[in-house]
Amino acid sequence: MKAIEAKGLKKAYGPVVALRDVTFSVEPGEVIGLLGPNGAGKTTLMKVLTGYLEADKGYAKVAGIDVGENALEVQSKIGYLPENAPLYREMTVQEYLLTMAALRSIPEGKRLSLLADAIGATGLGEYLARPIGQLSKGYRQRVGLAQALLHHPPILILDEPTTGLDPNQIVEIRELIQELSRDTTVILSTHILSEVEMSCERVLIIMQGKLHADAKLDELRAVNAAVVAIESKASGVENVLRAISGVDKVERRENVGEYQRWRVTSEKNPDLCPAVYDAVRDKNWRLAELRSDARTLESVFRELAESPKEALA
């Protein structure tokens, strides 16, 4: 059974279409990065998955339960941390978490043990008696995470959990998420690329409400490309490189001293370097550089963002 399954989700706010035929699934135990620019539809998607919004078309299932038909049961399976967690600043940490336990209908006999688990996981033991309003933003985020974990949900959905935090706080929250992911399926929404690379094993990239990529990070970054720097006085270089078997694209890059740098790409050839070397050697050209060229998540994201915009459905 899939942890999460979405099929053909569409959601519009009047004339503004926030989700366009979004389809994907998540296996139990996966850590998924939901990536996209501001306004891409990430938060709308999470609100649909958690039952806070109803999709106009399509369906979503969580742990096999249809969100549209039984949102309350779905919410009992999910721990949700929205971008701006609804914290009551005048309450102490303990008061707030006990209140959340009551709102979740956790039996009184289980509340203290579950509270202890959530506090231990988020490192809040020294702050139980402190009003939430007196905590740093990093620790307020921990309180938000604690309420999301309180009922031991099998699925965590976190919306921009590190927004506005300083570098030390970001590292703390990242390490906490990694620890929690050992026993839980996690969807982490962010527009910070490094957070996805540090925390996730698979990425969904959403832009203008459409799902543009769904792949393992290693697969998404993999590319059959080589960078080569050949003496600038060499003539006909582009034609020679294009003639290499399997080559789909040749790009002229910057000059490096007396050498011209080129990037060669193939969809079929997993290692272009030997073929490029042979082609250069056959021409007796001087060679200053030859290496495989792996894409970063940032470059993948930029390629998708700069691709021609599809007609709005």
Side-chain angles (χ1 to χ4, degrees), residues 54 57 77 125 149 251 297:
E54 185 175 348
K57 290 184 180 179
K77 307 284 186 184
L149 297 169
E251 301 170 86
L297 185 55

Coordinates of all heavy atoms in Angstrom, one line a residue, residues 54 57 77 125 149 251 297:
E54 N -10.2 20.9 -0.6 CA -10.8 19.9 -1.4 C -10.4 20.1 -2.9 O -10.5 21.2 -3.4 CB -12.3 19.8 -1.3 CG -12.9 18.7 -2.0 CD -14.4 18.6 -1.8 OE1 -14.9 19.3 -0.9 OE2 -15.1 17.8 -2.5
K57 N -10.7 18.5 -9.0 CA -10.7 17.2 -9.8 C -9.6 16.3 -9.3 O -8.7 16.7 -8.6 CB -10.4 17.5 -11.3 CG -11.6 18.2 -12.0 CD -11.2 18.4 -13.5 CE -12.4 19.1 -14.2 NZ -12.1 19.3 -15.7
K77 N -3.6 10.2 10.5 CA -2.4 9.5 10.0 C -1.2 10.4 9.7 O -0.1 9.9 9.4 CB -2.7 8.7 8.8 CG -3.9 7.7 8.9 CD -3.6 6.5 9.6 CE -4.7 5.5 9.6 NZ -4.4 4.3 10.4
G125 N 13.0 19.4 26.3 CA 12.9 19.1 27.8 C 13.1 20.3 28.7 O 12.4 20.4 29.7
L149 N 4.3 15.6 15.7 CA 4.8 14.2 16.1 C 4.0 13.6 17.2 O 4.1 12.4 17.4 CB 6.3 14.2 16.5 CG 7.3 14.7 15.5 CD1 8.6 14.9 16.2 CD2 7.4 13.6 14.4
E251 N 28.0 22.5 -27.1 CA 27.8 23.9 -26.6 C 29.2 24.5 -26.5 O 30.1 23.9 -25.9 CB 27.1 24.0 -25.3 CG 25.7 23.4 -25.2 CD 25.2 23.4 -23.8 OE1 24.7 24.4 -23.3 OE2 25.4 22.3 -23.2
L297 N 21.5 20.0 -8.6 CA 20.1 20.2 -8.5 C 19.7 21.6 -8.9 O 18.7 21.9 -9.5 CB 19.6 19.9 -7.0 CG 18.1 20.0 -6.8 CD1 17.3 19.1 -7.7 CD2 17.8 19.7 -5.3

